[in-house]
Amino acid sequence: MNRRDVLLSIMGCANGLPFSPVQLQKAVFLIDRNLVEIFDENSRFGFEPYDYGPFDREVYVEAGYLELSGLTISAKGNSGYTEYSVTTAGLAKSKALLESMPANHRAYISQVVDWVRSLGFASLVKSIYEAYPDMRANSVFRG
């Protein structure tokens, strides 16, 4: 699966509910790091330690392509940050993509999405740092 389809699959697991930027980055990071086998060759993201942990600008680039295709939307949320969610068409396509995966892969993606969406900014960043200390290298986070 190419990374755009992986991103759409991740976003679709939230059933139309939005992701904050940190939630989206960390969900994609966890899938990229722990479910390598779902990616086509040379299709993975390139996460690097950044201000608040693992970050890859390409997550937003791919989300932009999905939005241009009518599969996702991005809008300013209550927090003032852009939030990302699937459209009705994106949800339908993501469900088809998820159905094409083995059940254990679907389950893992769903668990990751539920987990990242359940945490606030500080808790999520702190949890990622605890599990992946290599991603703390360039951090400005002091939580």
Side-chain angles (χ1 to χ4, degrees), residues 95-115:
K95 289 199 179 290
L97 289 167
L98 288 160
E99 285 300 316
S100 73
M101 294 179 194
N104 61 323
H105 293 171
R106 284 194 309 270
Y108 181 71
I109 293 170
S110 181
Q111 290 168 354
V112 165
V113 167
D114 289 347
W115 182 73

Side-chain angles (χ1 to χ4, degrees), residues 13 16-17 27 40 51 53-54 61 63-64 68 81 110 112 114 121 123-124 137:
C13 277
L17 297 173
D40 292 340
D51 292 350
V61 171
L68 289 173
Y81 292 103
S110 181
V112 165
D114 289 347
F121 180 90
S123 297
L124 181 53

Side-chain angles (χ1 to χ4, degrees), residues 125-142:
V125 173
K126 184 177 178 185
S127 295
I128 293 292
Y129 284 164
E130 288 172 359
Y132 303 92
D134 59 307
M135 288 293 150
R136 182 187 284 269
N138 298 319
S139 181
V140 298
F141 179 72
R142 301 291 173 237

Side-chain angles (χ1 to χ4, degrees), residues 15-128:
N15 292 312
L17 297 173
F19 287 82
S20 70
V22 71
Q23 290 170 336
L24 189 60
Q25 286 283 335
K26 298 332 174 227
V28 176
F29 167 74
L30 289 169
I31 302 307
D32 186 83
R33 179 70 69 102
N34 299 316
L35 207 55
V36 173
E37 61 272 21
I38 70 169
F39 288 87
D40 292 340
E41 189 174 340
N42 300 317
S43 186
R44 291 181 57 211
F45 289 90
F47 284 92
E48 296 182 10
Y50 199 62
D51 292 350
Y52 300 101
F55 177 82
D56 185 348
R57 181 183 168 288
E58 291 298 312
V59 171
Y60 299 134
V61 171
E62 295 296 345
Y65 285 125
L66 289 168
E67 187 167 11
L68 289 173
S69 300
L71 301 172
T72 66
I73 56 173
S74 61
K76 291 286 182 194
N78 294 337
S79 64
Y81 292 103
T82 299
E83 293 182 335
Y84 303 86
S85 57
V86 293
T87 61
T88 303
L91 185 57
K93 182 170 182 183
S94 70
K95 289 199 179 290
L97 289 167
L98 288 160
E99 285 300 316
S100 73
M101 294 179 194
N104 61 323
H105 293 171
R106 284 194 309 270
Y108 181 71
I109 293 170
S110 181
Q111 290 168 354
V112 165
V113 167
D114 289 347
W115 182 73
V116 299
R117 291 195 72 263
S118 74
L119 296 175
F121 180 90
S123 297
L124 181 53
V125 173
K126 184 177 178 185
S127 295
I128 293 292

